[in-house]
Every structure is written in structure tokens, then in C-alpha cells.
Amino acid sequence: MENNKSIGNYLIERLLQLGVNHVFGVPGDFVLGFNKLLEKSELEFINTCDEQGAGFAADAYARLRGLGVVCVTYCVGGLKIANTTAQCFAEKSPVVVISGSPGVNERTKNPLLHHKVKEFDTQYKVFQEITVASTVLDNPDTAYSEIERVLTAALRYKRPVYIEIPRDMVNVTLGTDNRPSTNNASSNPDALQEALEEAVNLINQAHHPVILAGVEIHRFKLQESLVKLVEKTNLPVAETLLGKSVINEMHPNNLGIYEGAMGKEFTRKYVEESDCVIALGTFLSDVNLGIFTAKLNPQSFIDVNSEKTSIHFHNYEDISLVDFLNGLLNADLKHRQVDLPSRLPLSTDFSVKPGEKITVQRLFEQLNLFISNDMIVIADVGDALFAGADLVVHQKSRFLSPAYYASLGFAVPASIGAQMANPNIRPLVLVGDGAFQMTGMELSTIVRYGLNPIIIVLNNLGYGTERPMQDGKFNDILLWNYSQLPTIFNKGKGFDIRTEDELELALEKSQTYTEGFCLLDVHLDPSDTSLALKRLTKALREKV
């Protein structure tokens, strides 16, 4: 490493080396010096309309590329992305939060500088709670090792990290402390061997083993390894909701999504009647378990993720998911003869009923036939997610959603991050009108950077997820003319949709119009929800 490199330039160099090409954010005076370095570098700074939009975009980028970056100013910017960073922590998305802050030399005698809340380290303390590692680069002699430590943690744990740069340190030359951080992420070999022996015995002795694949298969880029395991053993595989599309959903061994009583009966029955469930990289959260309607027998459970390994009633320490999955690939596992009913190809007997009012069910039936190989589905919270879960995406890792943390407003800005991460895919965005009104202004960013998502607004006049639980005027929102938004941006196409044939025509035109975004305002009855959402809200209503 060159000894004359500045702290800011070294951080940029490391991000480039780790495969980052875009940084999302909003500029501000405490971070302008670093913004200028970004502008002069090979990294492209994507300035969004609002910091929350930048945070969600960086999250989506990280899910597809392995690392995302959001860059904001002190407190007024940083605290705006506390929510998106919390989502990244909860759902294991490795985003680097870079925040400017007052200079070290400005802090003498504790002056009342603008943007300051309580103490100079207030924001730092907040982010310590919602990141896996954090640092303030206020010492050039430790900046190198601190940058390495924090970036290593993001990649090791697939969770967000926080780097604060006082503005008078951005162009300061790195000191002489160039010791790399040490991070031993390998497994304990004895524990790994014993865990694999117990798991292999349980799997081989079982009559109907099944794999339950979760989101960490996405995060640790283990999709190909999972496919190899499935094809080596011929075991059927179900996905959790958060892990949807960890395996190509066109694969004949794919059972679909397991989510307890919320899910399809065939998948639920197959998983719950299995005498050996091999859970790989799963979060056993309330939503993933259908609000705890799942009935999984712990006596037949193998649960391995990046944080713990539990087999039968035994717990093992210091075992990585990567090593365990590779161990299964090399183990002497039986090849099964499994007779699964064909879920695919998709039925093509759907016929549009002209003049018929569009419903949630019929909307998603049409979308299932519309999805193509070059699309990624990005679902916001609500029926966008729960009805969207039944869509069959055509490639691995082609479904993004905040299915555990469940923060409204994710999908529209996430389409920015997704298309920046992979310009060869076209996002199909599913978003309720309530969520759209939170972050829909990021259409401006979409236009500015020449992106072309297809956005389906499920317009049911408010918060449709909450109405079945506890209705009231608080669930209502103002009706917007969503289809007229392209006139504001002088770009894009809008469609006002009330019937099945209007939807069919809009989808056809959206497919051929690729110069900008398409927005389909789909008017739905406020009481019309998917069966999955009905099951979910029934369970939640009992807790309200």
C-alpha cells in the first residue's frame, strides 16, 4: 500500500476492489469533501431524492452484488437511514454506511454546530446498535486497520457496517499502522466433522428428507452449491418467503414457498410430514413461519446458518454455512427416487375477460404469464409480497423483498439499486399505494439515470394489510392520479387500469416500451386481498 494515500482515497480504492461500482446517497456539507473524491473516482455517485431512497437502493444493490454503499451527511442524513440500515441488519444485507461528520478540530470545547443532536458521537452510538461493526476515522495511524476491520465484518457476517469520516480527515494521509485485521472465518474442524457425521446419518436414515432453503443461500452466493446438492441427492427443496428464488423456481425439485398455514397446502404438508428437514441459511421468523402456524418437528430438524448449527437437539459452535454445505456435497449421501407432482410449466389457459373488473387474484395470474427471463420481481410489503410470493420467477435470485423486517417503501428505490447492480435485468416492481406514497418520488432518480422498471401500483385506497386487523380512517390515504406521473417527469408511460383487458393492453405496451419507466395504476377494491394475506391478517388480528 502506498504510504501517501489519503484516508478517503484508500476507502474508495477498497470499495472498488470489492466489486462496488455505485454509491447511493444525498450530499451535505459535512460529506462534500468525500463526495468530491467520489466524483473524481471510478465510483459513480447516485444522488437520490431522499436518504431513505438511497438506503433502500444500496440494500438492493448489496443483495445482488454482495456489497452496497450509502453515503450521507451527519445526523440529518445519517439518522434518516437508521431504518434502512436496521432492515439490512435484520435481513443480512451487507451495506457500508459512510457518513461525514464535523472535523476533529471543530469539536474543541463542544460547540453547537448545526446538525448536532446531543453529543458529537450520538449518531455513532445509534449506528453501533444496528450494524455489525462501526468506526470513526479520526486517527490516520489507525484508519487503515479500521477500514479493513469494518469491511471484513460486512463481508463475513453479511450485515451493515458504519464508517464515519470527520470532514477534516478525508484528505489526510494514512499513517504507518498498516497491519491488516485478522479475521478467522473458518470452521472448527472437529466440530464440523462431528456435525456432518450426525447430519449425514440422519439424512440417510430418513424416509422423506427435504431441504428448506433460506435467505443466506442468497447472501453467501451458495445458489450453485445448493443446486449441486439437490441434483446429487435428488432431494426436494422448499424456500422460505425471505429466501424466495434461492433456487430456480422452474427446477423440478422446487416445492415452492413454505410458510406454515399461510402457504400452499401441498408444500406445507410435504415439509411438515418430512422426517428430516434440512434447514440451510434460514431465519425462523414469524412471517417465514406463517405467524407461527408452522409445525416442524425439532426431533427431525437440521438447522444450519451463519450464526448457529443445531442438529436434532445438539448445538455446535464455530461452523460456517459455506463449510457445512460443501461438506454435504462431499459426503456419502443417498440419491433418492422422489416422485413429485409437476408444478410447472405454468398454465397457459388463462383468458382475459373484457370489461371484467380486475381483482388481486386475476392480476397476479396475468403477471405470472407476463414475467420473462430478464426480469427481477421486487415486492413491497402487503399483497405486493404475499400475492407476489406465488409468482414463479425464472432465474435464481430474481425476487427481492423485505419479507422479515417488512418496511414499507422498499420496492421503488430498490429497483434503482437492482438495475444499477445488473443493467441486464428489468425490475417488475409490485407496490401498494400506501408504500408508493412514501418513496415514489424516486421516480425522479429513475428518470435521471435512464432506468426502466415496470411499476405495478396496487391501488386499494390505503393500507390494505392493516384493514382486516383493525380498520379505521387511519388506514385511508389520498387518491393520487398515479398514471399521470410521467407528465411531471417528461418521461415514462402511465396506465389507468380497472379491467382485465386494460391490464392486458398495458402489459403489452410496457413490454415494448423500454426507454423509461412504466407505471400501471391498478384500481382494486379495498376489501379485495389475496388468500395468503387473508390467512396472515387473521393470525395477526388475534394479536392486536
mmCIF file of all heavy atoms in Angstrom, residues 198-240:
data_model
loop_
_atom_site.group_PDB
_atom_site.id
_atom_site.type_symbol
_atom_site.label_atom_id
_atom_site.label_comp_id
_atom_site.label_asym_id
_atom_site.label_seq_id
_atom_site.Cartn_x
_atom_site.Cartn_y
_atom_site.Cartn_z
ATOM 1 N N GLU A 198 -23.219 -36.498 12.045
ATOM 2 C CA GLU A 198 -24.573 -36.636 12.597
ATOM 3 C C GLU A 198 -25.623 -36.300 11.546
ATOM 4 O O GLU A 198 -26.636 -37.008 11.406
ATOM 5 C CB GLU A 198 -24.751 -35.730 13.817
ATOM 6 C CG GLU A 198 -26.126 -35.899 14.455
ATOM 7 C CD GLU A 198 -26.312 -35.112 15.740
ATOM 8 O OE1 GLU A 198 -25.445 -34.270 16.062
ATOM 9 O OE2 GLU A 198 -27.344 -35.326 16.407
ATOM 10 N N ALA A 199 -25.392 -35.222 10.774
ATOM 11 C CA ALA A 199 -26.360 -34.817 9.757
ATOM 12 C C ALA A 199 -26.502 -35.869 8.662
ATOM 13 O O ALA A 199 -27.620 -36.214 8.249
ATOM 14 C CB ALA A 199 -25.946 -33.472 9.149
ATOM 15 N N VAL A 200 -25.368 -36.386 8.179
ATOM 16 C CA VAL A 200 -25.411 -37.379 7.100
ATOM 17 C C VAL A 200 -26.156 -38.639 7.558
ATOM 18 O O VAL A 200 -26.969 -39.204 6.799
ATOM 19 C CB VAL A 200 -23.979 -37.706 6.626
ATOM 20 C CG1 VAL A 200 -23.977 -38.929 5.709
ATOM 21 C CG2 VAL A 200 -23.380 -36.512 5.907
ATOM 22 N N ASN A 201 -25.917 -39.085 8.804
ATOM 23 C CA ASN A 201 -26.634 -40.252 9.318
ATOM 24 C C ASN A 201 -28.139 -40.007 9.366
ATOM 25 O O ASN A 201 -28.941 -40.873 8.984
ATOM 26 C CB ASN A 201 -26.117 -40.613 10.710
ATOM 27 C CG ASN A 201 -24.746 -41.263 10.664
ATOM 28 O OD1 ASN A 201 -24.382 -41.863 9.645
ATOM 29 N ND2 ASN A 201 -23.981 -41.146 11.743
ATOM 30 N N LEU A 202 -28.537 -38.838 9.862
ATOM 31 C CA LEU A 202 -29.967 -38.513 9.938
ATOM 32 C C LEU A 202 -30.601 -38.470 8.551
ATOM 33 O O LEU A 202 -31.707 -38.983 8.335
ATOM 34 C CB LEU A 202 -30.161 -37.172 10.636
ATOM 35 C CG LEU A 202 -30.038 -37.136 12.166
ATOM 36 C CD1 LEU A 202 -30.114 -35.700 12.673
ATOM 37 C CD2 LEU A 202 -31.144 -37.974 12.803
ATOM 38 N N ILE A 203 -29.904 -37.851 7.594
ATOM 39 C CA ILE A 203 -30.455 -37.722 6.243
ATOM 40 C C ILE A 203 -30.582 -39.088 5.578
ATOM 41 O O ILE A 203 -31.613 -39.415 4.980
ATOM 42 C CB ILE A 203 -29.568 -36.781 5.399
ATOM 43 C CG1 ILE A 203 -29.592 -35.363 5.966
ATOM 44 C CG2 ILE A 203 -30.046 -36.761 3.940
ATOM 45 C CD1 ILE A 203 -28.523 -34.437 5.387
ATOM 46 N N ASN A 204 -29.540 -39.907 5.689
ATOM 47 C CA ASN A 204 -29.567 -41.215 5.025
ATOM 48 C C ASN A 204 -30.570 -42.166 5.645
ATOM 49 O O ASN A 204 -31.136 -43.033 4.957
ATOM 50 C CB ASN A 204 -28.170 -41.840 5.039
ATOM 51 C CG ASN A 204 -27.255 -41.230 3.992
ATOM 52 O OD1 ASN A 204 -27.715 -40.667 3.003
ATOM 53 N ND2 ASN A 204 -25.946 -41.344 4.208
ATOM 54 N N GLN A 205 -30.820 -42.022 6.941
ATOM 55 C CA GLN A 205 -31.786 -42.895 7.610
ATOM 56 C C GLN A 205 -33.229 -42.447 7.390
ATOM 57 O O GLN A 205 -34.164 -43.219 7.578
ATOM 58 C CB GLN A 205 -31.489 -42.935 9.110
ATOM 59 C CG GLN A 205 -30.204 -43.662 9.477
ATOM 60 C CD GLN A 205 -29.828 -43.480 10.934
ATOM 61 O OE1 GLN A 205 -30.640 -43.014 11.743
ATOM 62 N NE2 GLN A 205 -28.585 -43.829 11.277
ATOM 63 N N ALA A 206 -33.412 -41.201 6.990
ATOM 64 C CA ALA A 206 -34.764 -40.658 6.835
ATOM 65 C C ALA A 206 -35.463 -41.244 5.609
ATOM 66 O O ALA A 206 -34.826 -41.581 4.613
ATOM 67 C CB ALA A 206 -34.704 -39.144 6.730
ATOM 68 N N HIS A 207 -36.772 -41.326 5.699
ATOM 69 C CA HIS A 207 -37.571 -41.815 4.571
ATOM 70 C C HIS A 207 -37.943 -40.690 3.609
ATOM 71 O O HIS A 207 -37.972 -40.881 2.393
ATOM 72 C CB HIS A 207 -38.846 -42.505 5.095
ATOM 73 C CG HIS A 207 -38.581 -43.732 5.903
ATOM 74 N ND1 HIS A 207 -38.102 -44.907 5.366
ATOM 75 C CD2 HIS A 207 -38.705 -43.951 7.242
ATOM 76 C CE1 HIS A 207 -37.960 -45.814 6.319
ATOM 77 N NE2 HIS A 207 -38.320 -45.252 7.471
ATOM 78 N N HIS A 208 -38.220 -39.522 4.171
ATOM 79 C CA HIS A 208 -38.670 -38.399 3.332
ATOM 80 C C HIS A 208 -37.961 -37.108 3.721
ATOM 81 O O HIS A 208 -38.596 -36.149 4.188
ATOM 82 C CB HIS A 208 -40.187 -38.218 3.446
ATOM 83 C CG HIS A 208 -40.978 -39.442 3.108
ATOM 84 N ND1 HIS A 208 -41.058 -39.937 1.823
ATOM 85 C CD2 HIS A 208 -41.698 -40.293 3.891
ATOM 86 C CE1 HIS A 208 -41.801 -41.030 1.828
ATOM 87 N NE2 HIS A 208 -42.205 -41.265 3.074
ATOM 88 N N PRO A 209 -36.638 -37.032 3.555
ATOM 89 C CA PRO A 209 -35.956 -35.777 3.877
ATOM 90 C C PRO A 209 -36.288 -34.678 2.880
ATOM 91 O O PRO A 209 -36.619 -34.951 1.724
ATOM 92 C CB PRO A 209 -34.470 -36.165 3.815
ATOM 93 C CG PRO A 209 -34.412 -37.327 2.889
ATOM 94 C CD PRO A 209 -35.714 -38.069 3.056
ATOM 95 N N VAL A 210 -36.188 -33.436 3.349
ATOM 96 C CA VAL A 210 -36.470 -32.291 2.494
ATOM 97 C C VAL A 210 -35.549 -31.142 2.895
ATOM 98 O O VAL A 210 -35.217 -30.987 4.072
ATOM 99 C CB VAL A 210 -37.957 -31.865 2.600
ATOM 100 C CG1 VAL A 210 -38.306 -31.423 4.014
ATOM 101 C CG2 VAL A 210 -38.297 -30.767 1.598
ATOM 102 N N ILE A 211 -35.118 -30.362 1.923
ATOM 103 C CA ILE A 211 -34.299 -29.180 2.189
ATOM 104 C C ILE A 211 -35.212 -27.962 2.318
ATOM 105 O O ILE A 211 -36.122 -27.771 1.505
ATOM 106 C CB ILE A 211 -33.284 -28.945 1.056
ATOM 107 C CG1 ILE A 211 -32.290 -30.117 0.979
ATOM 108 C CG2 ILE A 211 -32.529 -27.634 1.255
ATOM 109 C CD1 ILE A 211 -31.407 -30.081 -0.257
ATOM 110 N N LEU A 212 -34.978 -27.149 3.343
ATOM 111 C CA LEU A 212 -35.665 -25.871 3.498
ATOM 112 C C LEU A 212 -34.598 -24.786 3.355
ATOM 113 O O LEU A 212 -33.761 -24.601 4.232
ATOM 114 C CB LEU A 212 -36.360 -25.780 4.860
ATOM 115 C CG LEU A 212 -37.124 -24.486 5.152
ATOM 116 C CD1 LEU A 212 -38.250 -24.282 4.143
ATOM 117 C CD2 LEU A 212 -37.691 -24.493 6.568
ATOM 118 N N ALA A 213 -34.608 -24.102 2.225
ATOM 119 C CA ALA A 213 -33.536 -23.155 1.892
ATOM 120 C C ALA A 213 -33.963 -21.732 2.219
ATOM 121 O O ALA A 213 -35.078 -21.316 1.903
ATOM 122 C CB ALA A 213 -33.174 -23.271 0.414
ATOM 123 N N GLY A 214 -33.035 -20.984 2.832
ATOM 124 C CA GLY A 214 -33.358 -19.634 3.274
ATOM 125 C C GLY A 214 -32.489 -18.572 2.636
ATOM 126 O O GLY A 214 -31.683 -18.823 1.735
ATOM 127 N N VAL A 215 -32.623 -17.363 3.146
ATOM 128 C CA VAL A 215 -32.048 -16.174 2.528
ATOM 129 C C VAL A 215 -30.529 -16.184 2.504
ATOM 130 O O VAL A 215 -29.901 -15.575 1.631
ATOM 131 C CB VAL A 215 -32.572 -14.910 3.247
ATOM 132 C CG1 VAL A 215 -32.032 -14.817 4.671
ATOM 133 C CG2 VAL A 215 -32.229 -13.648 2.468
ATOM 134 N N GLU A 216 -29.894 -16.882 3.455
ATOM 135 C CA GLU A 216 -28.433 -16.873 3.467
ATOM 136 C C GLU A 216 -27.833 -17.601 2.265
ATOM 137 O O GLU A 216 -26.665 -17.399 1.949
ATOM 138 C CB GLU A 216 -27.910 -17.461 4.773
ATOM 139 C CG GLU A 216 -28.092 -16.517 5.946
ATOM 140 C CD GLU A 216 -27.332 -16.958 7.173
ATOM 141 O OE1 GLU A 216 -26.954 -18.150 7.269
ATOM 142 O OE2 GLU A 216 -27.103 -16.108 8.047
ATOM 143 N N ILE A 217 -28.610 -18.442 1.612
ATOM 144 C CA ILE A 217 -28.132 -19.031 0.350
ATOM 145 C C ILE A 217 -27.905 -17.909 -0.658
ATOM 146 O O ILE A 217 -26.937 -17.923 -1.423
ATOM 147 C CB ILE A 217 -29.136 -20.060 -0.190
ATOM 148 C CG1 ILE A 217 -29.357 -21.193 0.830
ATOM 149 C CG2 ILE A 217 -28.656 -20.630 -1.524
ATOM 150 C CD1 ILE A 217 -28.126 -22.017 1.130
ATOM 151 N N HIS A 218 -28.802 -16.899 -0.670
ATOM 152 C CA HIS A 218 -28.574 -15.689 -1.478
ATOM 153 C C HIS A 218 -27.315 -14.969 -1.026
ATOM 154 O O HIS A 218 -26.412 -14.684 -1.803
ATOM 155 C CB HIS A 218 -29.731 -14.692 -1.301
ATOM 156 C CG HIS A 218 -30.995 -15.015 -2.008
ATOM 157 N ND1 HIS A 218 -31.074 -15.248 -3.356
ATOM 158 C CD2 HIS A 218 -32.270 -15.096 -1.540
ATOM 159 C CE1 HIS A 218 -32.339 -15.471 -3.695
ATOM 160 N NE2 HIS A 218 -33.068 -15.379 -2.605
ATOM 161 N N ARG A 219 -27.269 -14.640 0.279
ATOM 162 C CA ARG A 219 -26.266 -13.719 0.781
ATOM 163 C C ARG A 219 -24.843 -14.251 0.609
ATOM 164 O O ARG A 219 -23.922 -13.488 0.340
ATOM 165 C CB ARG A 219 -26.525 -13.416 2.257
ATOM 166 C CG ARG A 219 -27.891 -12.799 2.542
ATOM 167 C CD ARG A 219 -28.022 -11.391 1.965
ATOM 168 N NE ARG A 219 -29.286 -10.818 2.374
ATOM 169 C CZ ARG A 219 -30.388 -10.802 1.627
ATOM 170 N NH1 ARG A 219 -30.352 -11.317 0.409
ATOM 171 N NH2 ARG A 219 -31.508 -10.261 2.071
ATOM 172 N N PHE A 220 -24.671 -15.559 0.803
ATOM 173 C CA PHE A 220 -23.333 -16.137 0.712
ATOM 174 C C PHE A 220 -23.046 -16.732 -0.669
ATOM 175 O O PHE A 220 -22.074 -17.467 -0.841
ATOM 176 C CB PHE A 220 -23.150 -17.189 1.812
ATOM 177 C CG PHE A 220 -23.018 -16.613 3.186
ATOM 178 C CD1 PHE A 220 -24.144 -16.436 3.993
ATOM 179 C CD2 PHE A 220 -21.792 -16.196 3.680
ATOM 180 C CE1 PHE A 220 -24.042 -15.885 5.266
ATOM 181 C CE2 PHE A 220 -21.680 -15.650 4.945
ATOM 182 C CZ PHE A 220 -22.801 -15.490 5.741
ATOM 183 N N LYS A 221 -23.911 -16.393 -1.640
ATOM 184 C CA LYS A 221 -23.705 -16.822 -3.031
ATOM 185 C C LYS A 221 -23.554 -18.346 -3.135
ATOM 186 O O LYS A 221 -22.671 -18.869 -3.806
ATOM 187 C CB LYS A 221 -22.470 -16.132 -3.637
ATOM 188 C CG LYS A 221 -22.486 -14.618 -3.547
ATOM 189 C CD LYS A 221 -23.626 -14.015 -4.308
ATOM 190 C CE LYS A 221 -23.630 -12.497 -4.251
ATOM 191 N NZ LYS A 221 -24.832 -11.888 -4.868
ATOM 192 N N LEU A 222 -24.456 -19.047 -2.477
ATOM 193 C CA LEU A 222 -24.395 -20.510 -2.441
ATOM 194 C C LEU A 222 -25.444 -21.169 -3.328
ATOM 195 O O LEU A 222 -25.729 -22.354 -3.184
ATOM 196 C CB LEU A 222 -24.573 -20.981 -0.991
ATOM 197 C CG LEU A 222 -23.455 -20.594 -0.021
ATOM 198 C CD1 LEU A 222 -23.830 -20.944 1.407
ATOM 199 C CD2 LEU A 222 -22.149 -21.266 -0.416
ATOM 200 N N GLN A 223 -26.018 -20.397 -4.250
ATOM 201 C CA GLN A 223 -27.081 -20.954 -5.080
ATOM 202 C C GLN A 223 -26.608 -22.160 -5.891
ATOM 203 O O GLN A 223 -27.314 -23.174 -5.990
ATOM 204 C CB GLN A 223 -27.643 -19.878 -6.017
ATOM 205 C CG GLN A 223 -28.244 -18.679 -5.298
ATOM 206 C CD GLN A 223 -27.260 -17.532 -5.171
ATOM 207 O OE1 GLN A 223 -26.055 -17.738 -5.036
ATOM 208 N NE2 GLN A 223 -27.771 -16.309 -5.225
ATOM 209 N N GLU A 224 -25.428 -22.048 -6.497
ATOM 210 C CA GLU A 224 -24.926 -23.155 -7.310
ATOM 211 C C GLU A 224 -24.629 -24.379 -6.449
ATOM 212 O O GLU A 224 -24.871 -25.520 -6.859
ATOM 213 C CB GLU A 224 -23.670 -22.723 -8.079
ATOM 214 C CG GLU A 224 -23.915 -21.632 -9.115
ATOM 215 C CD GLU A 224 -24.915 -22.045 -10.178
ATOM 216 O OE1 GLU A 224 -24.983 -23.252 -10.497
ATOM 217 O OE2 GLU A 224 -25.639 -21.167 -10.687
ATOM 218 N N SER A 225 -24.109 -24.154 -5.261
ATOM 219 C CA SER A 225 -23.841 -25.268 -4.351
ATOM 220 C C SER A 225 -25.137 -25.959 -3.949
ATOM 221 O O SER A 225 -25.191 -27.200 -3.836
ATOM 222 C CB SER A 225 -23.094 -24.777 -3.102
ATOM 223 O OG SER A 225 -21.828 -24.265 -3.444
ATOM 224 N N LEU A 226 -26.184 -25.174 -3.721
ATOM 225 C CA LEU A 226 -27.479 -25.755 -3.373
ATOM 226 C C LEU A 226 -28.006 -26.618 -4.515
ATOM 227 O O LEU A 226 -28.493 -27.738 -4.291
ATOM 228 C CB LEU A 226 -28.480 -24.649 -3.034
ATOM 229 C CG LEU A 226 -29.911 -25.115 -2.735
ATOM 230 C CD1 LEU A 226 -29.945 -26.004 -1.498
ATOM 231 C CD2 LEU A 226 -30.846 -23.920 -2.548
ATOM 232 N N VAL A 227 -27.907 -26.116 -5.738
ATOM 233 C CA VAL A 227 -28.367 -26.890 -6.894
ATOM 234 C C VAL A 227 -27.575 -28.195 -7.003
ATOM 235 O O VAL A 227 -28.150 -29.270 -7.266
ATOM 236 C CB VAL A 227 -28.232 -26.059 -8.190
ATOM 237 C CG1 VAL A 227 -28.489 -26.940 -9.417
ATOM 238 C CG2 VAL A 227 -29.207 -24.887 -8.176
ATOM 239 N N LYS A 228 -26.276 -28.139 -6.780
ATOM 240 C CA LYS A 228 -25.450 -29.354 -6.847
ATOM 241 C C LYS A 228 -25.898 -30.369 -5.790
ATOM 242 O O LYS A 228 -25.952 -31.579 -6.053
ATOM 243 C CB LYS A 228 -23.976 -29.003 -6.645
ATOM 244 C CG LYS A 228 -23.348 -28.285 -7.834
ATOM 245 C CD LYS A 228 -21.891 -27.933 -7.527
ATOM 246 C CE LYS A 228 -21.258 -27.177 -8.691
ATOM 247 N NZ LYS A 228 -19.864 -26.757 -8.386
ATOM 248 N N LEU A 229 -26.218 -29.873 -4.580
ATOM 249 C CA LEU A 229 -26.674 -30.779 -3.522
ATOM 250 C C LEU A 229 -28.015 -31.410 -3.897
ATOM 251 O O LEU A 229 -28.225 -32.617 -3.700
ATOM 252 C CB LEU A 229 -26.797 -30.011 -2.206
ATOM 253 C CG LEU A 229 -27.288 -30.830 -1.004
ATOM 254 C CD1 LEU A 229 -26.304 -31.945 -0.666
ATOM 255 C CD2 LEU A 229 -27.511 -29.915 0.210
ATOM 256 N N VAL A 230 -28.915 -30.598 -4.441
ATOM 257 C CA VAL A 230 -30.230 -31.106 -4.842
ATOM 258 C C VAL A 230 -30.073 -32.163 -5.941
ATOM 259 O O VAL A 230 -30.716 -33.226 -5.902
ATOM 260 C CB VAL A 230 -31.127 -29.945 -5.316
ATOM 261 C CG1 VAL A 230 -32.389 -30.476 -5.986
ATOM 262 C CG2 VAL A 230 -31.494 -29.035 -4.149
ATOM 263 N N GLU A 231 -29.208 -31.903 -6.896
ATOM 264 C CA GLU A 231 -29.072 -32.829 -8.012
ATOM 265 C C GLU A 231 -28.245 -34.063 -7.633
ATOM 266 O O GLU A 231 -28.424 -35.129 -8.211
ATOM 267 C CB GLU A 231 -28.479 -32.092 -9.206
ATOM 268 C CG GLU A 231 -29.458 -31.025 -9.707
ATOM 269 C CD GLU A 231 -28.990 -30.256 -10.924
ATOM 270 O OE1 GLU A 231 -27.802 -30.399 -11.296
ATOM 271 O OE2 GLU A 231 -29.823 -29.516 -11.493
ATOM 272 N N LYS A 232 -27.373 -33.924 -6.639
ATOM 273 C CA LYS A 232 -26.625 -35.083 -6.149
ATOM 274 C C LYS A 232 -27.548 -36.054 -5.408
ATOM 275 O O LYS A 232 -27.430 -37.279 -5.550
ATOM 276 C CB LYS A 232 -25.508 -34.625 -5.211
ATOM 277 C CG LYS A 232 -24.815 -35.754 -4.467
ATOM 278 C CD LYS A 232 -23.775 -35.240 -3.483
ATOM 279 C CE LYS A 232 -23.166 -36.401 -2.701
ATOM 280 N NZ LYS A 232 -22.075 -35.971 -1.809
ATOM 281 N N THR A 233 -28.465 -35.506 -4.625
ATOM 282 C CA THR A 233 -29.312 -36.327 -3.755
ATOM 283 C C THR A 233 -30.719 -36.536 -4.297
ATOM 284 O O THR A 233 -31.425 -37.429 -3.841
ATOM 285 C CB THR A 233 -29.435 -35.659 -2.380
ATOM 286 O OG1 THR A 233 -30.016 -34.358 -2.553
ATOM 287 C CG2 THR A 233 -28.071 -35.519 -1.710
ATOM 288 N N ASN A 234 -31.126 -35.673 -5.236
ATOM 289 C CA ASN A 234 -32.495 -35.634 -5.756
ATOM 290 C C ASN A 234 -33.512 -35.276 -4.668
ATOM 291 O O ASN A 234 -34.690 -35.622 -4.756
ATOM 292 C CB ASN A 234 -32.884 -36.960 -6.414
ATOM 293 C CG ASN A 234 -34.059 -36.800 -7.383
ATOM 294 O OD1 ASN A 234 -34.189 -35.768 -8.039
ATOM 295 N ND2 ASN A 234 -34.921 -37.798 -7.451
ATOM 296 N N LEU A 235 -33.046 -34.561 -3.641
ATOM 297 C CA LEU A 235 -33.958 -34.161 -2.574
ATOM 298 C C LEU A 235 -34.840 -33.002 -3.031
ATOM 299 O O LEU A 235 -34.379 -32.106 -3.736
ATOM 300 C CB LEU A 235 -33.165 -33.718 -1.341
ATOM 301 C CG LEU A 235 -32.460 -34.811 -0.539
ATOM 302 C CD1 LEU A 235 -31.646 -34.187 0.584
ATOM 303 C CD2 LEU A 235 -33.470 -35.801 0.024
ATOM 304 N N PRO A 236 -36.104 -32.998 -2.615
ATOM 305 C CA PRO A 236 -36.945 -31.826 -2.885
ATOM 306 C C PRO A 236 -36.507 -30.660 -2.010
ATOM 307 O O PRO A 236 -35.942 -30.856 -0.925
ATOM 308 C CB PRO A 236 -38.351 -32.297 -2.511
ATOM 309 C CG PRO A 236 -38.145 -33.434 -1.582
ATOM 310 C CD PRO A 236 -36.831 -34.068 -1.923
ATOM 311 N N VAL A 237 -36.759 -29.437 -2.486
ATOM 312 C CA VAL A 237 -36.334 -28.252 -1.745
ATOM 313 C C VAL A 237 -37.474 -27.236 -1.713
ATOM 314 O O VAL A 237 -38.080 -26.926 -2.736
ATOM 315 C CB VAL A 237 -35.054 -27.633 -2.361
ATOM 316 C CG1 VAL A 237 -35.230 -27.326 -3.833
ATOM 317 C CG2 VAL A 237 -34.618 -26.386 -1.608
ATOM 318 N N ALA A 238 -37.777 -26.763 -0.513
ATOM 319 C CA ALA A 238 -38.737 -25.672 -0.331
ATOM 320 C C ALA A 238 -37.961 -24.425 0.055
ATOM 321 O O ALA A 238 -36.839 -24.501 0.569
ATOM 322 C CB ALA A 238 -39.758 -26.025 0.745
ATOM 323 N N GLU A 239 -38.559 -23.262 -0.182
ATOM 324 C CA GLU A 239 -37.920 -21.988 0.146
ATOM 325 C C GLU A 239 -38.707 -21.288 1.245
ATOM 326 O O GLU A 239 -39.924 -21.453 1.342
ATOM 327 C CB GLU A 239 -37.897 -21.068 -1.074
ATOM 328 C CG GLU A 239 -37.289 -21.662 -2.314
ATOM 329 C CD GLU A 239 -37.584 -20.841 -3.560
ATOM 330 O OE1 GLU A 239 -38.764 -20.490 -3.785
ATOM 331 O OE2 GLU A 239 -36.638 -20.555 -4.296
ATOM 332 N N THR A 240 -38.021 -20.485 2.054
ATOM 333 C CA THR A 240 -38.739 -19.576 2.936
ATOM 334 C C THR A 240 -39.133 -18.345 2.130
ATOM 335 O O THR A 240 -38.606 -18.103 1.044
ATOM 336 C CB THR A 240 -37.860 -19.139 4.123
ATOM 337 O OG1 THR A 240 -36.729 -18.411 3.623
ATOM 338 C CG2 THR A 240 -37.382 -20.331 4.927
#
